């Protein structure tokens, strides 16, 4: 028999956006219910982002989930760009007064999830069939089947679509109303996680004639490395001898200190820029990857997702206190920031990758841009202030 449950906010997705929103709402005295398509184990095993802006660290404090983060975080005062083996060290702390934090998205997800579970937050795992309804009314609903087979109808005041790029929330907005902007890049990133110390104290982004490479880390003992891959390639096209030889070559002199480890994880991700203008549709509010995607160059996706849900949590808290205005402004204000982050991620992607369609002219433009950054404090300031995170 169908079970009906009342909740203030129905949250689709138990990724970082959904979990953070639930935790921030809880601190504002507002209840929520989370519905997640996948299993708990799957959600906890995904390896994704690794670099946090200060706003994301602040949000972890607001959520009451920063104890382990504070104990394990690594602060980076700079970032390295390399072009055909020549490097520029951008002193982001000296320029902006702020650093970025290395702490994995996997750990953020675990910390938020454990906090939610400790206080008894309702989370429905393994429920892939959620259907959203009555979005234009004051009482929208989410119908889904719980893991034990019980059909459930959530009666909510708001629905938060935190279900990522492939989720159901954005697809529930009528197609004739959706306004979207998209750019697919003609390459992907092949990434590996290895238990070997990182090659530098900072994250390294390298542009080489044979393609992009990125050296990042998760801890003093664990490194995260990526190389630009071609469209259609899978992990099988990247046996480790090929990976190491390309990776080291593309990094130039920095590649000499790479220690080749056994990968704990290997995966390929496509690169895309995407924005939907419809971050609100009636009582449905989209946040994080459900509303926008940035290519990972610049490490902005998770940070942008957390900025959205911080804004949304505050707006729902204001509504709860009788002030509806912040909710009506959510989409406009979130989008104004989203576009700036889209610009930076696109800029760094365009500067640092090899594009098959580029002529020798565009390659000279990349080199000229790089030489300009090397010699200009203004250009380095632009990169530094975006890298540490624009004001929230
Ligand atoms: P997520 O993490 O995709 O979570 C969405 C959740 O919704 C669930 N879901 C559904 N649940 C219920 N019903 C449905 N119909 C559903 N459909 C889907 C999914 O199972 C999932 O659990 O979105 P969220 O929470 O908005 O978080 C966004 C971030 O995950 C993403 O932006 C970042 O990982 C992007 N990203 C990076 N961001 C950074 O800020 N810094 C980085 O260093 C960084 N590196 C990366 C990245 C993303 C990468 N990949 C794999 C795309 C590196 C890579 C390789
Ligand atoms: C990562 O550590 O996974 C990472 C770092 C920087 C990026 C993207 C990913 O720009």
């Amino acid at each position: 028999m169908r079970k009906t449950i009342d909740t203030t906010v129905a949250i689709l997705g138990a990724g970082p956006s959904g979990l953070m929103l639930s935790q921030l709402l809880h601190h504002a005295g507002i209840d929520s219910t989370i519905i997640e398509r996948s299993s708990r184990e799957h959600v906890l095993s995904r390896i994704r982002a690794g670099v946090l802006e200060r706003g994301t660290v602040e949000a972890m404090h607001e959520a009451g989930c920063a104890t382990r983060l504070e104990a394990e975080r690594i602060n980076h005062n700079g970032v390295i760009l390399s072009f055909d083996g020549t490097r520029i060290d951008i002193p982001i702390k000296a320029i902006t007064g702020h650093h970025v934090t290395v702490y994995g998205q996997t750990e953020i997800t675990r910390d938020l999830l454990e906090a939610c579970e400790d206080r008894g937050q309702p989370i429905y795992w393994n429920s892939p069939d959620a259907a959203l309804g009555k979005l234009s009314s004051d009482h929208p609903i989410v119908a889904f089947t719980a893991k034990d087979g019980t059909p459930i109808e959530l009666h909510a005041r708001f629905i938060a679509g935190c279900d990522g790029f492939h989720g159901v929330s954005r697809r529930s907005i009528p197609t004739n109303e959706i306004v979207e902007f998209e750019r697919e890049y003609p390459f992907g990133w092949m990434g590996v996680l290895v238990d070997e110390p990182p090659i530098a104290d900072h994250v390294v982004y390298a542009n080489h004639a044979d393609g992009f490479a990125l050296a990042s880390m998760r801890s003093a003992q664990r490194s995260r490395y990526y190389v630009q891959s071609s469209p259609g390639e899978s992990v099988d096209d990247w046996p480790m001898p090929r990976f190491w030889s390309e990776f080291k070559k593309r990094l130039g002199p920095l590649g000499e200190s790479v220690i080749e480890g056994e990968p704990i994880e290997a995966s390929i991700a496509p690169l895309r820029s995407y924005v939907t203008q419809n971050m609100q549709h009636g009582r449905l509010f989209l946040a994080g990857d459900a509303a926008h995607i940035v290519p990972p160059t610049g490490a902005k996706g998770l940070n942008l997702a957390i900025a959205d849900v911080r804004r949304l949590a505050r707006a729902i808290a204001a509504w709860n206190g009788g002030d509806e205005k912040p909710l009506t402004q959510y989409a406009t204000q979130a989008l104004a920031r989203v576009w700036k982050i889209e610009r930076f991620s696109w800029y760094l992607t365009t500067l640092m990758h090899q594009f098959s369609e580029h002529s020798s002219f565009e390659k000279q433009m990349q080199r000229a841009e790089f030489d300009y950054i090397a010699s200009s404090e203004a250009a380095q300031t632009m990169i530094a202030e975006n890298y540490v995170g624009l004001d929230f």
Side-chain angles (χ1 to χ4, degrees):
M1 216 181 63
R2 184 177 291 279
K3 198 167 145 190
T4 302
I5 299 174
D6 287 326
T7 189
T8 306
V9 185
I11 300 176
L12 273 299
S17 309
L19 293 169
M20 175 63 85
L21 179 62
S22 157
Q23 197 58 17
L24 293 177
L25 289 173
H26 166 72
H27 284 293
I30 298 164
D31 69 286
S32 65
T33 302
I34 301 178
I35 305 120
E36 165 60 48
R37 175 183 62 184
S38 309
S39 68
R40 184 180 186 279
E41 298 67 48
H42 177 75
V43 164
L44 283 177
S45 67
R46 285 191 296 230
I47 311 284
R48 285 184 170 178
V51 180
L52 309 183
E53 298 175 356
R54 74 196 145 105
T56 303
V57 173
E58 275 166 26
M60 287 296 280
H61 280 272
E62 284 170 20
C65 296
T67 311
R68 200 160 63 96
L69 165 66
E70 285 304 334
E72 296 178 13
R73 67 189 280 179
I74 303 175
N75 295 335
H76 280 186
N77 296 333
V79 60
I80 300 171
L81 301 186
S82 154
F83 202 93
D84 288 343
T86 308
R87 68 188 256 191
I88 310 175
D89 289 63
I90 302 186
I92 53 175
K93 174 90 192 283
I95 293 174
T96 66
H98 303 292
H99 49 68
V100 290
T101 295
V102 168
Y103 188 73
Q105 177 170 334
T106 316
E107 312 310 320
I108 295 262
T109 306
R110 178 174 292 282
D111 294 343
L112 290 168
L113 179 56
E114 285 177 357
C116 285
E117 288 176 338
D118 284 351
R119 62 177 171 77
Q121 165 68 34
I123 306 182
Y124 291 90
W125 300 104
N126 303 87
S127 297
D129 66 346
L132 283 53
K134 299 192 186 169
L135 297 178
S136 301
S137 80
D138 286 350
H139 290 86
I141 55 171
V142 181
F144 65 100
T145 313
K147 193 164 65 170
D148 65 4
T150 311
I152 297 184
E153 196 166 276
L154 282 181
H155 289 200
R157 302 305 305 275
F158 301 102
I159 300 176
C162 300
D163 48 352
F165 186 65
H166 301 287
V168 67
S169 301
R170 193 180 65 252
R171 282 186 281 115
S172 306
I173 300 173
T175 40
N176 60 346
E177 287 183 34
I178 283 265
V179 181
E180 47 193 359
F181 305 86
E182 185 161 19
R183 163 95 210 247
E184 277 193 44
Y185 299 89
F187 40 73
W189 279 16
M190 160 73 194
V192 300
L193 192 66
V194 288
D195 271 334
E196 296 294 347
I199 59 160
D201 288 343
H202 296 149
V203 175
V204 183
Y205 295 85
N207 185 339
H208 179 274
D210 292 334
F212 170 79
L214 166 61
S216 180
M217 67 203 70
R218 289 293 176 275
S219 70
Q221 291 308 321
R222 183 168 281 190
S223 300
R224 180 69 165 154
Y225 296 147
Y226 301 91
V227 291
Q228 174 179 345
S229 58
S230 299
E233 277 187 329
S234 73
V235 173
D236 294 341
D237 296 308
W238 283 91
M240 286 316 288
R242 178 183 178 209
F243 181 89
W244 289 125
S245 115
E246 282 300 315
F247 180 65
K248 293 197 309 201
K249 175 181 69 185
R250 295 177 189 190
L251 283 173
L254 280 162
E256 287 161 21
S257 45
V258 171
I259 305 175
E260 300 183 14
E262 266 307 305
I264 316 169
E265 192 262 3
S267 51
I268 286 201
L271 265 70
R272 170 187 281 128
S273 298
Y274 172 91
V275 179
T276 176
Q277 208 160 283
N278 309 65
M279 287 184 75
Q280 177 187 5
H281 176 76
R283 284 285 176 116
L284 167 66
F285 293 85
L286 301 181
D289 280 16
H292 40 67
I293 295 285
V294 289
T297 337
K300 293 295 160 207
L302 168 66
N303 293 299
L304 188 51
I306 297 298
D308 284 351
V309 293
R310 252 180 129 188
R311 190 182 304 280
L312 185 56
R314 288 180 190 185
I316 295 174
W319 166 86
N320 201 35
D323 177 10
E324 297 216 9
K325 199 165 170 219
L327 262 183
T328 62
Q329 295 172 330
Y330 167 76
T332 314
Q333 292 188 344
L335 276 167
R337 193 170 183 281
V338 164
W339 277 114
K340 291 184 189 162
I341 315 292
E342 288 284 342
R343 184 206 72 86
F344 180 64
S345 305
W346 160 85
Y347 165 79
L348 209 56
T349 301
T350 307
L351 174 66
M352 299 309 294
H353 290 76
Q354 291 292 319
F355 290 71
S356 50
E357 75 262 26
H358 273 183
S359 67
S360 53
F361 178 80
E362 276 109 357
K363 289 193 180 157
Q364 286 301 328
M365 287 298 98
Q366 281 188 334
R367 169 163 292 288
E369 177 78 18
F370 187 81
D371 290 345
Y372 174 59
I373 296 166
S375 63
S376 161
E377 210 178 301
Q380 292 194 18
T381 301
M382 185 282 280
I383 292 175
E385 67 187 19
N386 277 277
Y387 199 69
V388 297
L390 298 179
D391 283 345
F392 165 64

